[in-house]
Amino acid sequence: MLHIGCHLSSSRGFAAMGRQALELGADTFQFFTRNPRGSRARELDTADAAALTALLQAHQFAPILAHAPYTLNLCSAEAQTRAFARETMADDLRRMEFLPGQYYNFHPGSHVGQGMEAGIAFIAEALNALLTPDQSTTVLLETMAGKGSEVGGRFEELREILSRVTLREKVGICLDTCHVSDAGYDIAGDLDGVLSEFDRVVGLSHLKAVHLNDSKNPLESHKDRHACIGEGTLGLEALVRVVRHPALQALPFCLETPNELPGYAKEIALLRSLSE
Ligand code: FE
Ligand code: FE
Ligand code: ZN
């Protein structure tokens, strides 16, 4: 069975997102841990977190994804910016333990002219400082479009980070269909080829989640502009092949398409009907 959901606003709290997901026909979802651009997190309501955990179990949800603010940069050239990213992620990971066993997804970062190797080294070092043996959260690095000096546009870059992480079982990859296409991987034209390349370079066992998005831009455009399902350069058929692919069957798929809730409900229903 397809596990699918969408990005939801966390403004009404944890359990409210779970109920919202059920109304949309979802059995997973994603939310920002705090304002995507800012730093402040709402006060943690542990009873609300427990209520969501109960709902997820009662309705057999796939793992859900918490998304780090996308302005965090673990490999900034500024020591202060790196430290801020690390502190924010440490705080997020502490909070995530009130939602045990879920995923925490982040953008690896931008090396801003220091070079890919320097960026990779900072990211791996930060992960080694952040991860703890007893955490229940799996931290996911997102595949990126390779915009500017972004780290994570090439599978080799992600593998290099993973290979330097000591607590390997605490990290994984989230593949974003818009981003990989924008990065130059022809997921629409050659899904099998892209997945075998991922398997060869990173290993499919490390792939834990998929962001299912169409793209406003062509292959290798390095842009990162999401389109609604079937309205972009990937197209509906290609995205249906993704949700039906045997190697991806068990993963949570999360829509980050430019939709309001009714649009998400429609895409979820459409993809469920075409996934059988
Ligand atoms: Fe993202
Ligand atoms: Fe994404
Ligand atoms: Zn994106």
Side-chain angles (χ1 to χ4, degrees), residues 67 105 107 142 179 211 256:
H67 196 307
N105 174 79
H107 295 182
E142 182 166 353
H179 297 179
H211 283 164
E256 301 174 305

Side-chain angles (χ1 to χ4, degrees), residues 6-25:
C6 61
H7 190 90
L8 294 174
S9 162
S10 61
S11 62
R12 290 188 298 132
F14 292 125
M17 286 189 287
R19 290 190 295 271
Q20 185 117 77
L22 289 172
E23 280 171 25
L24 298 173

Side-chain angles (χ1 to χ4, degrees), residues 107 142 144-145 176 178-179 211 213 224-226 256:
H107 295 182
E142 182 166 353
M144 300 310 293
D176 186 309
C178 166
H179 297 179
H211 283 164
N213 302 308
D224 189 0
R225 297 275 314 281
H226 303 186
E256 301 174 305

